[in-house]
């Protein structure tokens, strides 16, 4: 949570930056001080303190303090154990699993429920209105986009995934109001994805951006009417391609899929049962 806010600091307005710096200087005190005291110490108004909490993805000050208290008092210690060339398979198992579990638990504490609510609402409305839901990603993020398309396809919505930059631009150009473009990027600096997100936004579609805080793509997700689902985790690029960030992105997709499925209601269940029945009938006996 604190790392994400630190990364987002340059994109905040000056007054909200003062609130962020007060937080980063003493997170425990911030979690316990009343809003009036926070405002006085930051030299800002009380509404500015609340706006800061919303700018970084929380419902308000109460929600922010609740997540902050969990992060600084009860959160899981960060574990990142870099693999070494002389590691044995047993060492690799422990390190890779520990890294993944720690990252997932950290994200559980940091995830902004308010942003997820907005994303799920936009996707649900697009599904009900037979609008388009498109997933864009490149490289590892392209794999996540394909996974998202597979999951949403089973919900009976009009969905599409693409990892080619030229096709992303053409596809985004054909979006309109009510459509959703879900942009997935670990770095948040892909020129193709930034171009596709900008085109989709200008065409009136809602862009839901899954990326690192403070990145250029994340800043686009903070524009009015758009949604940022920030995912932050350091990767050891010198040793292996990003792995934990991909797992976190897959979890985000699972949360979105589950939320949309629940909101689409009982009409969805018979179709899913029929899909399972038809798939079982295609299996051959051993």
């Amino acid at each position: 949570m604190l790392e994400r806010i630190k990364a987002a600091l340059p994109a905040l307005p000056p007054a909200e930056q003062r609130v962020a710096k007060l937080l980063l200087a003493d997170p425990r005190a911030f979690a316990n001080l009343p809003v009036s005291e926070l405002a006085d110490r930051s030299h800002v108004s009380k509404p500015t303190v609340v706006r800061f909490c919303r700018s970084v993805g929380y419902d308000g000050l109460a929600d922010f303090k609740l997540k902050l208290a969990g992060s600084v008092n009860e959160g899981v210690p960060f574990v990142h154990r870099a693999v070494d060339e002389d590691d044995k398979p047993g060492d690799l198992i422990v390190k890779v699993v520990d890294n993944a579990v720690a990252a997932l638990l950290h994200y559980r504490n940091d995830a902004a429920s308010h942003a997820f609510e907005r994303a799920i609402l936009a996707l649900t409305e697009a599904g009900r209105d037979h609008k388009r839901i498109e997933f864009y990603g490149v490289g590892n993020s392209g794999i996540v986009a394909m996974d998202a398309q597979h999951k949403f396809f089973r919900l009976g919505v009009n969905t599409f995934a693409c990892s080619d930059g030229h096709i992303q631009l053409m596809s985004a150009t054909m979006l309109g109001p009510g459509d959703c473009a879900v942009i997935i990027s670990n770095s948040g600096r892909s020129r193709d994805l930034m171009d596709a997100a900008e085109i989709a936004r200008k065409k009136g579609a809602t862009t839901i951006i899954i990326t690192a805080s403070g990145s250029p793509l994340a800043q686009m997700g903070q524009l009015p009417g758009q949604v940022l689902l920030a995912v932050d985790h350091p990767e050891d690029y010198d040793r292996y391609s990003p792995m934990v960030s991909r797992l976190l992105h897959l979890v985000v997709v699972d949360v979105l899929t589950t939320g949309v499925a629940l909101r689409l209601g009982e009409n969805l269940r018979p179709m899913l049962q029929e899909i399972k029945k038809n798939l079982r009938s295609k299996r051959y006996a051993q």
Side-chain angles (χ1 to χ4, degrees):
M1 181 176 185
L2 298 177
E3 288 299 320
R4 191 176 77 190
I5 292 171
K6 188 182 297 183
L9 186 62
L12 295 173
E16 294 180 24
Q17 286 186 16
R18 292 199 290 273
V19 181
K21 289 176 181 177
L22 177 69
L23 161 69
L24 294 172
D26 192 347
R28 292 182 186 275
F30 194 100
N32 294 306
L33 290 173
V35 63
S36 57
E37 183 70 15
L38 294 173
D40 288 342
R41 294 192 181 190
S42 303
H43 306 291
V44 299
S45 65
K46 288 188 283 188
T48 298
V49 176
V50 177
R51 280 198 300 272
F52 159 75
C53 297
R54 290 176 177 161
S55 293
V56 293
Y58 297 88
D59 293 342
L61 183 60
D63 180 47
F64 181 84
K65 281 189 170 185
L66 181 64
K67 294 290 180 65
L68 178 62
S71 178
V72 299
N73 296 325
E74 302 172 3
V76 179
F78 177 70
V79 177
H80 184 77
R81 305 172 64 186
V83 297
D84 297 313
E85 293 177 358
D86 58 351
D87 280 342
K88 297 177 181 179
D91 299 323
L92 294 177
I93 292 171
V94 172
K95 289 183 176 181
V96 171
V97 172
D98 281 357
N99 289 344
V101 171
L104 289 168
L105 291 176
H106 267 284
Y107 187 70
R108 180 197 65 184
N109 292 339
D110 291 351
S113 58
H114 178 67
F116 270 95
E117 180 63 33
R118 292 172 54 211
I120 290 170
L121 177 61
L123 292 167
T124 301
E125 290 179 347
R128 283 179 177 160
D129 296 340
H130 305 290
K131 296 290 186 176
R132 298 170 64 182
I133 298 176
E134 307 206 338
F135 299 92
Y136 304 150
V138 296
N140 276 305
S141 298
I143 298 172
V144 179
M146 291 294 294
D147 178 78
Q149 189 269 342
H150 173 72
K151 288 184 170 71
F152 271 78
F153 173 78
R154 297 193 308 134
L155 303 182
V157 302
N158 183 11
T159 185
F160 169 75
C162 177
S163 58
D164 180 274
H166 290 85
I167 297 178
Q168 288 169 357
L169 295 182
M170 291 187 287
S171 183
T173 303
M174 293 186 284
L175 296 177
D179 294 327
C180 289
V182 183
I183 318 293
I184 307 165
S185 174
N186 180 46
S187 68
R189 299 180 182 279
S190 168
R191 183 74 259 173
D192 286 344
L193 292 176
M194 292 172 63
D195 289 343
E198 179 65 12
I199 291 172
R201 184 185 68 83
K202 288 182 176 179
K203 297 297 289 188
T206 298
T207 59
I208 299 168
I209 297 178
I210 304 171
T211 193
S213 300
S215 66
L217 197 54
Q219 294 177 24
M220 297 175 71
Q222 294 174 316
L223 294 173
Q226 315 310 306
V227 183
L228 170 64
L229 300 178
V231 180
D232 296 293
H233 182 76
E235 297 283 8
D236 186 358
Y237 294 102
D238 294 333
R239 301 275 181 139
Y240 51 82
S241 62
M243 293 189 297
V244 175
S245 62
R246 186 180 71 244
L247 295 178
L248 293 174
H249 290 168
L250 289 169
V251 168
V252 171
V253 169
D254 283 350
V255 173
L256 295 176
T257 307
T258 304
V260 173
L262 290 173
R263 283 161 177 74
L264 288 178
E266 292 295 322
N267 294 333
L268 182 62
R269 188 169 300 169
M271 182 180 65
L272 292 176
Q273 291 174 341
E274 185 176 0
I275 289 174
K276 290 182 179 179
K277 177 183 176 182
N278 290 335
L279 289 174
R280 282 196 299 268
S281 70
K282 297 292 291 182
R283 294 172 184 164
Y284 295 96
Q286 297 296 325

PDB file of all heavy atoms in Angstrom, residues 185-200:
ATOM      1  N   SER A 185      -1.167  -4.113 -18.318  1.00  0.00           N
ATOM      2  CA  SER A 185       0.255  -3.866 -18.558  1.00  0.00           C
ATOM      3  C   SER A 185       1.021  -3.900 -17.245  1.00  0.00           C
ATOM      4  O   SER A 185       0.629  -3.231 -16.281  1.00  0.00           O
ATOM      5  CB  SER A 185       0.466  -2.507 -19.238  1.00  0.00           C
ATOM      6  OG  SER A 185       1.843  -2.200 -19.342  1.00  0.00           O
ATOM      7  N   ASN A 186       2.107  -4.656 -17.203  1.00  0.00           N
ATOM      8  CA  ASN A 186       2.918  -4.703 -15.991  1.00  0.00           C
ATOM      9  C   ASN A 186       3.676  -3.393 -15.792  1.00  0.00           C
ATOM     10  O   ASN A 186       3.683  -2.819 -14.705  1.00  0.00           O
ATOM     11  CB  ASN A 186       3.896  -5.869 -16.061  1.00  0.00           C
ATOM     12  CG  ASN A 186       4.776  -5.966 -14.830  1.00  0.00           C
ATOM     13  OD1 ASN A 186       4.287  -5.862 -13.713  1.00  0.00           O
ATOM     14  ND2 ASN A 186       6.061  -6.155 -15.029  1.00  0.00           N
ATOM     15  N   SER A 187       4.305  -2.886 -16.839  1.00  0.00           N
ATOM     16  CA  SER A 187       5.111  -1.668 -16.724  1.00  0.00           C
ATOM     17  C   SER A 187       4.285  -0.396 -16.806  1.00  0.00           C
ATOM     18  O   SER A 187       4.648   0.632 -16.236  1.00  0.00           O
ATOM     19  CB  SER A 187       6.171  -1.641 -17.835  1.00  0.00           C
ATOM     20  OG  SER A 187       5.554  -1.468 -19.107  1.00  0.00           O
ATOM     21  N   GLY A 188       3.191  -0.442 -17.563  1.00  0.00           N
ATOM     22  CA  GLY A 188       2.391   0.762 -17.767  1.00  0.00           C
ATOM     23  C   GLY A 188       3.035   1.757 -18.702  1.00  0.00           C
ATOM     24  O   GLY A 188       2.678   2.934 -18.724  1.00  0.00           O
ATOM     25  N   ARG A 189       3.973   1.282 -19.531  1.00  0.00           N
ATOM     26  CA  ARG A 189       4.715   2.184 -20.408  1.00  0.00           C
ATOM     27  C   ARG A 189       4.706   1.752 -21.874  1.00  0.00           C
ATOM     28  O   ARG A 189       5.471   2.287 -22.679  1.00  0.00           O
ATOM     29  CB  ARG A 189       6.162   2.317 -19.909  1.00  0.00           C
ATOM     30  CG  ARG A 189       6.248   2.882 -18.518  1.00  0.00           C
ATOM     31  CD  ARG A 189       7.668   3.025 -18.000  1.00  0.00           C
ATOM     32  NE  ARG A 189       7.661   3.522 -16.630  1.00  0.00           N
ATOM     33  CZ  ARG A 189       7.518   4.790 -16.281  1.00  0.00           C
ATOM     34  NH1 ARG A 189       7.405   5.719 -17.228  1.00  0.00           N
ATOM     35  NH2 ARG A 189       7.511   5.160 -15.013  1.00  0.00           N
ATOM     36  N   SER A 190       3.876   0.796 -22.217  1.00  0.00           N
ATOM     37  CA  SER A 190       3.787   0.345 -23.603  1.00  0.00           C
ATOM     38  C   SER A 190       3.116   1.413 -24.461  1.00  0.00           C
ATOM     39  O   SER A 190       1.975   1.809 -24.196  1.00  0.00           O
ATOM     40  CB  SER A 190       2.994  -0.964 -23.684  1.00  0.00           C
ATOM     41  OG  SER A 190       2.659  -1.266 -25.011  1.00  0.00           O
ATOM     42  N   ARG A 191       3.813   1.869 -25.488  1.00  0.00           N
ATOM     43  CA  ARG A 191       3.278   2.914 -26.353  1.00  0.00           C
ATOM     44  C   ARG A 191       2.003   2.454 -27.053  1.00  0.00           C
ATOM     45  O   ARG A 191       1.021   3.203 -27.154  1.00  0.00           O
ATOM     46  CB  ARG A 191       4.337   3.282 -27.391  1.00  0.00           C
ATOM     47  CG  ARG A 191       3.960   4.412 -28.333  1.00  0.00           C
ATOM     48  CD  ARG A 191       4.028   5.744 -27.624  1.00  0.00           C
ATOM     49  NE  ARG A 191       2.710   6.227 -27.212  1.00  0.00           N
ATOM     50  CZ  ARG A 191       2.519   7.296 -26.464  1.00  0.00           C
ATOM     51  NH1 ARG A 191       3.544   7.984 -26.019  1.00  0.00           N
ATOM     52  NH2 ARG A 191       1.310   7.686 -26.132  1.00  0.00           N
ATOM     53  N   ASP A 192       1.989   1.198 -27.516  1.00  0.00           N
ATOM     54  CA  ASP A 192       0.799   0.682 -28.205  1.00  0.00           C
ATOM     55  C   ASP A 192      -0.417   0.683 -27.290  1.00  0.00           C
ATOM     56  O   ASP A 192      -1.519   1.085 -27.693  1.00  0.00           O
ATOM     57  CB  ASP A 192       1.061  -0.741 -28.716  1.00  0.00           C
ATOM     58  CG  ASP A 192       1.980  -0.767 -29.916  1.00  0.00           C
ATOM     59  OD1 ASP A 192       2.175   0.291 -30.546  1.00  0.00           O
ATOM     60  OD2 ASP A 192       2.512  -1.855 -30.233  1.00  0.00           O
ATOM     61  N   LEU A 193      -0.225   0.235 -26.043  1.00  0.00           N
ATOM     62  CA  LEU A 193      -1.351   0.173 -25.116  1.00  0.00           C
ATOM     63  C   LEU A 193      -1.817   1.563 -24.719  1.00  0.00           C
ATOM     64  O   LEU A 193      -3.021   1.807 -24.565  1.00  0.00           O
ATOM     65  CB  LEU A 193      -0.973  -0.632 -23.876  1.00  0.00           C
ATOM     66  CG  LEU A 193      -0.740  -2.128 -24.100  1.00  0.00           C
ATOM     67  CD1 LEU A 193      -0.288  -2.800 -22.811  1.00  0.00           C
ATOM     68  CD2 LEU A 193      -2.009  -2.809 -24.627  1.00  0.00           C
ATOM     69  N   MET A 194      -0.890   2.496 -24.559  1.00  0.00           N
ATOM     70  CA  MET A 194      -1.275   3.874 -24.235  1.00  0.00           C
ATOM     71  C   MET A 194      -2.078   4.487 -25.373  1.00  0.00           C
ATOM     72  O   MET A 194      -3.080   5.182 -25.146  1.00  0.00           O
ATOM     73  CB  MET A 194      -0.029   4.702 -23.934  1.00  0.00           C
ATOM     74  CG  MET A 194       0.684   4.293 -22.647  1.00  0.00           C
ATOM     75  SD  MET A 194       2.280   5.114 -22.420  1.00  0.00           S
ATOM     76  CE  MET A 194       1.755   6.826 -22.305  1.00  0.00           C
ATOM     77  N   ASP A 195      -1.666   4.219 -26.604  1.00  0.00           N
ATOM     78  CA  ASP A 195      -2.402   4.743 -27.762  1.00  0.00           C
ATOM     79  C   ASP A 195      -3.802   4.141 -27.830  1.00  0.00           C
ATOM     80  O   ASP A 195      -4.787   4.838 -28.084  1.00  0.00           O
ATOM     81  CB  ASP A 195      -1.643   4.437 -29.050  1.00  0.00           C
ATOM     82  CG  ASP A 195      -0.366   5.272 -29.188  1.00  0.00           C
ATOM     83  OD1 ASP A 195      -0.241   6.281 -28.468  1.00  0.00           O
ATOM     84  OD2 ASP A 195       0.493   4.894 -30.002  1.00  0.00           O
ATOM     85  N   ALA A 196      -3.896   2.826 -27.601  1.00  0.00           N
ATOM     86  CA  ALA A 196      -5.202   2.163 -27.652  1.00  0.00           C
ATOM     87  C   ALA A 196      -6.116   2.693 -26.552  1.00  0.00           C
ATOM     88  O   ALA A 196      -7.317   2.926 -26.781  1.00  0.00           O
ATOM     89  CB  ALA A 196      -5.030   0.652 -27.515  1.00  0.00           C
ATOM     90  N   ALA A 197      -5.563   2.903 -25.341  1.00  0.00           N
ATOM     91  CA  ALA A 197      -6.367   3.427 -24.238  1.00  0.00           C
ATOM     92  C   ALA A 197      -6.878   4.829 -24.540  1.00  0.00           C
ATOM     93  O   ALA A 197      -8.036   5.162 -24.254  1.00  0.00           O
ATOM     94  CB  ALA A 197      -5.538   3.428 -22.955  1.00  0.00           C
ATOM     95  N   GLU A 198      -6.023   5.663 -25.133  1.00  0.00           N
ATOM     96  CA  GLU A 198      -6.422   7.029 -25.455  1.00  0.00           C
ATOM     97  C   GLU A 198      -7.510   7.054 -26.526  1.00  0.00           C
ATOM     98  O   GLU A 198      -8.484   7.817 -26.434  1.00  0.00           O
ATOM     99  CB  GLU A 198      -5.196   7.824 -25.921  1.00  0.00           C
ATOM    100  CG  GLU A 198      -5.494   9.265 -26.320  1.00  0.00           C
ATOM    101  CD  GLU A 198      -5.972  10.118 -25.159  1.00  0.00           C
ATOM    102  OE1 GLU A 198      -5.865   9.671 -23.995  1.00  0.00           O
ATOM    103  OE2 GLU A 198      -6.445  11.233 -25.419  1.00  0.00           O
ATOM    104  N   ILE A 199      -7.376   6.208 -27.533  1.00  0.00           N
ATOM    105  CA  ILE A 199      -8.393   6.147 -28.585  1.00  0.00           C
ATOM    106  C   ILE A 199      -9.716   5.666 -28.012  1.00  0.00           C
ATOM    107  O   ILE A 199     -10.785   6.232 -28.302  1.00  0.00           O
ATOM    108  CB  ILE A 199      -7.925   5.229 -29.737  1.00  0.00           C
ATOM    109  CG1 ILE A 199      -6.751   5.879 -30.480  1.00  0.00           C
ATOM    110  CG2 ILE A 199      -9.071   4.936 -30.703  1.00  0.00           C
ATOM    111  CD1 ILE A 199      -6.098   4.962 -31.493  1.00  0.00           C
ATOM    112  N   ALA A 200      -9.676   4.604 -27.198  1.00  0.00           N
ATOM    113  CA  ALA A 200     -10.904   4.067 -26.601  1.00  0.00           C
ATOM    114  C   ALA A 200     -11.601   5.118 -25.756  1.00  0.00           C
ATOM    115  O   ALA A 200     -12.831   5.268 -25.800  1.00  0.00           O
ATOM    116  CB  ALA A 200     -10.580   2.825 -25.769  1.00  0.00           C
TER     117      ALA A 200
END
